[in-house]
Amino acid sequence: DTGVSQDPRHKITKRGQNVTFRCDPISEHNRLYWYRQTLGQGPEFLTYFQNEAQLEKSRLLSDRFSAERPKGSFSTLEIQRTEQGDSAMYLCASSLEGVQRYEQYFGPGTRLTVT
Amino acid sequence: GQNIDQPTEMTATEGAIVQINCTYQTSGFNGLFWYQQHAGEAPTFLSYNVLDGLEEKGRFSSFLSRSKGYSYLLLKELQMKDSASYLCAVRDNYGQNFVFGPGTRLSVLP
């Protein structure tokens, strides 16, 4: 399977703990996006990378959130000192910039529950 | 600001046709996308419009009017498996960011 993968699929953590999620995009894709989605809502943009460079961060992304894509391949999203409001589905998507349609391919998501 | 509106829920009957509307107000425009999302799953790409007009792809068609900030997704010959949320998303003027609408939850009844 050469689609976007995310790990873990589910994470339950206690408030105040740190969590880290991983995303492996489609191998030839140079763009990688992180989104957060809560029940009944559309995905909210968090940040995106062009290769290893983080080019934009949403105002939603507080200083407790950090993302990296060290070698322009996989990416990690870390949430420090988790809060109950962080409970959501975290989606990763990748795309190939330069292709006309800019189609994004989504991973299955990591569902975070903060207790 | 960025704003995308869609109806929250729609219901239709198997075999029928349904039209899901989307209106948008964004800081720029570089394409409109429709995604399908089944409960508990990731969104999957359905269609893309960047020029005005209708794009047809099998049972699914999508229309765009840039001057009106309006799009619709048309689903024909509805099947039970079409029960899902349908997300409208706009790529902004700089082509960097995707803004998603809240999604329309479609229920297809027998």
Side-chain angles (χ1 to χ4, degrees):
Chain A
D1 183 13
T2 57
V4 179
S5 61
Q6 292 186 246
D7 183 70
R9 295 291 304 276
H10 303 274
K11 178 71 176 179
I12 300 174
T13 191
K14 292 185 177 179
R15 190 176 55 188
Q17 297 294 305
N18 299 342
V19 294
T20 300
F21 310 142
R22 177 178 170 126
C23 170
D24 286 88
I26 293 172
S27 58
E28 63 268 26
H29 283 184
N30 49 15
R31 283 258 174 120
L32 187 149
Y33 297 79
W34 285 100
Y35 293 90
R36 179 173 66 190
Q37 186 176 26
T38 54
L39 198 62
Q41 299 297 316
E44 294 177 295
F45 169 79
L46 293 178
T47 188
Y48 89 96
F49 292 84
Q50 171 88 9
N51 299 313
E52 67 274 13
Q54 188 174 18
L55 297 186
E56 187 173 344
K57 291 170 60 172
S58 165
R59 287 188 298 274
L60 295 172
L61 212 64
S62 75
D63 56 4
R64 297 185 297 107
F65 288 70
S66 62
E68 294 183 343
R69 194 182 184 197
K71 296 183 180 178
S73 57
F74 74 92
S75 175
T76 58
L77 178 69
E78 181 183 17
I79 309 174
Q80 296 182 326
R81 306 181 302 279
T82 51
E83 302 172 356
Q84 287 188 321
D86 298 330
S87 295
M89 176 75 85
Y90 289 84
L91 293 167
C92 173
S94 70
S95 66
L96 182 59
E97 194 63 10
V99 175
Q100 185 176 4
R101 299 195 315 184
Y102 307 110
E103 180 180 335
Q104 289 187 323
Y105 294 83
F106 282 85
T110 294
R111 182 167 295 284
L112 173 66
T113 302
V114 181
T115 61
Chain B
Q2 315 272 55
N3 189 51
I4 298 182
D5 285 320
Q6 304 178 235
T8 304
E9 292 188 31
M10 298 184 72
T11 303
T13 305
E14 195 174 14
I17 299 172
V18 71
Q19 177 174 311
I20 302 174
N21 295 325
C22 169
T23 57
Y24 64 89
Q25 293 174 308
T26 56
S27 57
F29 180 83
N30 195 21
L32 186 141
F33 299 74
W34 284 95
Y35 286 84
Q36 180 190 61
Q37 186 175 28
H38 286 99
E41 298 182 11
T44 55
F45 171 80
L46 288 178
S47 70
Y48 166 76
N49 296 72
V50 67
L51 299 176
D52 291 352
L54 188 68
E55 294 282 339
E56 297 185 80
K57 196 159 101 173
R59 295 189 299 116
F60 293 63
S61 303
S62 56
F63 172 83
L64 175 67
S65 169
R66 289 173 296 170
S67 62
K68 296 181 180 178
Y70 167 70
S71 173
Y72 67 73
L73 180 69
L74 193 70
L75 292 78
K76 302 176 186 175
E77 301 169 16
L78 281 172
Q79 302 174 9
M80 300 296 289
K81 67 178 182 179
D82 297 329
S83 293
S85 284
Y86 291 85
L87 301 164
C88 174
V90 172
R91 185 162 174 159
D92 71 15
N93 200 41
Y94 301 101
Q96 313 305 334
N97 185 11
F98 287 78
V99 181
F100 281 82
T104 298
R105 189 163 64 242
L106 174 67
S107 298
V108 180
L109 305 178

